Amino acid sequence: MRTADDEKMLAGLLSSVEIPKFVKVESVVRQPQIQNVRETVKAALENCPALKRILPGQQVAVTAGSREINHIGEILSAVGEAVRGRGATAFIVPAMGSHGGADARGQTEVLRHYGITEETVGMEIRSSMETVLLGKTPDGLEVYLDANAMRADHIIPVGRIKAHTDFSGPVESGLVKMLVIGLGKQQGASICHREGFPRMGDNLLKFVKVILEKAPVIFGVGIVENSVHEPALVEAVEAERILLREPELLSYSKSLMPRIPFDYLDLLIVQEAGKDISGAGMDPNVTGRSCVLGRRAPHAEKIAVFDLTDKSDGNSAGMGNADAITRKMYEKIDLMPVYVNGITCRDTEGIRIPAVLPNEELAIRFCLYTCIRRNACRDARVVWIKNTGDLSSFWISAPLLEEAEGNAELRVIRDERREWDACVF
């Protein structure tokens, strides 16, 4: 809004909307969870025969990506410790495609946001956008890999295995994508995305076969998180088994994914979105909306996003999946990394800017007023989550209370119906 008068006029147009009151609920589903992360990683590495192929004096590149993985510092530190235990030197290579503004310093800064520094993980960080051409896929696409990683004697990809936001396949987000997209840097990632997300599942497999043949990948460390963003499994997978084991770990990961236990919502409110949470800012596997894959449960007619995480460094790519954002979020957006993301992924829809509303209240009113599936100006079906990585507790509108009480996976914290501005996480 340009002036206070404009905001007042907008408020008048939306004044017929009655924002429902909210009740807090929490998930009571028991999830598998690792209690001692460092010891679990240590045991996984000791049980991996490939670790013994690391020899004294060798250089080992360990990847670190651009997603916030719980306990990632401990995991990387344990990997570095195991490598040093073999008499070798471990170093970190940022593996995040074009993130960090497709800039070496920017990628180091992304890692710092996640607490990954040379001091915290005990390894040097070697960040560069330089790549080496490894070869071509059967259909002629060039395959590139980070030059620092290729100078090493061994490469250990470390990554979370989970459903991707915009494509489906035998492998999605995980060790394969860390090698192809992450270590491909902007150049390699852009080539793999050249044919768009509909071909990504096939292309990842074609690209990684070249990498596994030409690059010194020794084993990978796969992480599966539960629905509350805690590690449920850590496994060391030998390079020759990655294409066999990762699909199995992906299936397990999908079984643990957080899900919104309601359907046909009028509005889904996402308190915060961010690249640290999901490649799309908010995971379409949770929101049910993807510019590429379309709409599915919970079939929210409208989505409003209130804020962008600081760790995103202004990269709001994926915001095109929302209908409305707040001015507060809009003012945090840095269009350069957003456009770099869109260029690399060949995705122009996901980087579109939704309607920008002056504040949270008007964002809610705007979304409810513009619903056409049903009249949502009263008794609206609304779910309000902190972010798509944390559904341990969230708010629901009063019209959903009866459904919540009948759901054995939910517990109503208290039947105290609050005004929207009294809802906090």
Side-chain angles (χ1 to χ4, degrees):
M1 296 292 102
R2 293 166 296 178
T3 67
D5 286 341
D6 289 340
E7 186 173 326
K8 184 177 180 180
M9 181 183 71
L10 184 59
L13 290 173
L14 302 173
S15 61
S16 62
V17 176
E18 293 181 4
I19 300 179
K21 292 187 177 182
F22 291 86
V23 176
K24 198 168 190 179
V25 298
E26 66 179 9
S27 172
V28 296
V29 178
R30 298 189 65 179
Q31 290 278 322
Q33 181 173 329
I34 294 172
Q35 299 304 315
N36 190 320
V37 174
R38 178 175 286 275
E39 287 303 313
T40 299
V41 177
K42 182 180 177 181
L45 294 173
E46 289 175 348
N47 291 328
C48 181
L51 179 67
K52 295 179 176 60
R53 300 209 303 267
I54 298 176
L55 303 176
Q58 291 186 327
Q59 297 276 315
V60 181
V62 181
T63 71
S66 55
R67 300 286 180 265
E68 187 166 39
I69 301 171
N70 224 341
H71 303 281
I72 188 60
E74 283 183 79
I75 294 169
L76 292 173
S77 179
V79 173
E81 185 178 315
V83 171
R84 290 192 297 274
R86 298 291 303 167
T89 298
F91 64 92
I92 293 289
V93 175
M96 56 187 76
S98 66
H99 295 170
D103 173 77
R105 183 177 299 177
Q107 296 203 339
T108 300
E109 185 65 12
V110 170
L111 296 186
R112 187 189 67 78
H113 274 313
Y114 301 140
I116 301 170
T117 66
E118 295 184 354
E119 293 73 24
T120 58
V121 299
M123 289 179 274
E124 178 188 357
I125 296 175
R126 301 179 189 176
S127 183
S128 170
M129 299 305 292
E130 181 188 358
T131 57
V132 174
L133 176 63
L134 297 189
K136 294 183 179 182
T137 64
D139 44 359
L141 296 176
E142 294 178 327
V143 181
Y144 288 87
L145 207 77
D146 180 276
N148 283 322
M150 284 301 295
R151 294 186 187 107
D153 296 290
H154 303 289
I155 299 171
I156 301 175
V158 178
R160 176 174 56 198
I161 296 171
K162 65 182 292 293
H164 193 270
T165 58
D166 293 303
F167 73 88
S168 298
V171 295
E172 298 178 24
S173 288
L175 300 178
V176 169
K177 186 167 177 282
M178 183 67 77
L179 290 168
V180 176
I181 304 299
L183 285 182
K185 314 303 275 196
Q186 196 281 332
Q187 186 176 22
S190 181
I191 293 171
C192 189
H193 281 93
R194 181 173 295 168
E195 297 172 308
F197 282 119
R199 294 292 303 277
M200 274 295 290
D202 291 336
N203 280 345
L204 280 179
L205 296 176
K206 293 176 183 177
F207 276 63
V208 82
K209 287 175 182 176
V210 176
I211 293 171
L212 291 174
E213 178 185 348
K214 301 292 183 65
V217 181
I218 186 167
F219 62 85
V221 178
I223 304 156
V224 174
E225 290 185 335
N226 62 25
S227 65
V228 292
H229 195 34
E230 290 288 343
L233 177 149
V234 177
E235 185 172 317
V237 184
E238 293 172 287
E240 55 269 27
R241 293 185 60 247
I242 287 177
L243 288 178
L244 295 173
R245 183 59 175 151
E246 185 167 332
E248 296 171 345
L249 294 176
L250 174 61
S251 179
Y252 178 55
S253 174
K254 287 182 176 182
S255 75
L256 301 180
M257 278 188 63
R259 301 190 188 280
I260 294 171
F262 300 94
D263 209 353
Y264 292 97
L265 303 176
D266 297 312
L267 171 62
L268 171 62
I269 300 172
V270 180
Q271 184 71 28
E272 60 178 7
K275 294 295 284 186
D276 51 322
I277 297 166
S278 169
M282 49 183 180
D283 191 342
N285 294 293
V286 176
T287 66
R289 185 187 295 186
S290 164
C291 291
V292 179
L293 297 177
R295 302 191 181 197
R296 50 197 186 278
H299 297 102
E301 183 169 355
K302 303 293 179 182
I303 296 178
V305 186
F306 287 169
D307 205 355
L308 185 66
T309 62
D310 292 338
K311 291 178 181 178
S312 295
D313 273 339
N315 190 341
S316 62
M319 62 185 162
N321 287 317
D323 298 285
I325 62 176
T326 62
R327 183 190 296 148
K328 176 173 66 177
M329 176 174 171
Y330 177 76
E331 290 175 349
K332 291 184 178 182
I333 295 172
D334 181 349
L335 290 177
M336 184 52 65
V338 174
Y339 291 163
V340 168
N341 209 131
I343 290 168
T344 302
C345 296
R346 269 72 170 180
D347 176 20
T348 56
E349 292 184 85
I351 64 174
R352 292 176 181 172
I353 299 175
V356 180
L357 281 301
N359 52 52
E360 289 88 346
E361 179 179 358
L362 286 177
I364 296 172
R365 291 183 181 276
F366 173 85
C367 287
L368 294 179
Y369 187 91
T370 55
C371 284
I372 59 173
R373 198 163 57 197
R374 60 183 291 273
N375 181 3
C377 290
R378 291 175 178 79
D379 300 322
R381 294 170 57 84
V382 184
V383 168
W384 186 343
I385 64 175
K386 180 181 180 182
N387 58 58
T388 56
D390 183 4
L391 296 187
S392 56
S393 65
F394 52 93
W395 295 88
I396 62 171
S397 62
L400 292 173
L401 181 57
E402 184 176 347
E403 287 181 50
E405 290 174 331
N407 189 329
E409 296 183 352
L410 293 177
R411 181 173 74 89
V412 177
I413 295 179
R414 62 169 66 95
D415 187 3
E416 177 185 321
R417 306 182 188 203
R418 296 191 183 185
E419 301 290 344
W420 73 271
D421 54 355
C423 299
V424 294
F425 287 95

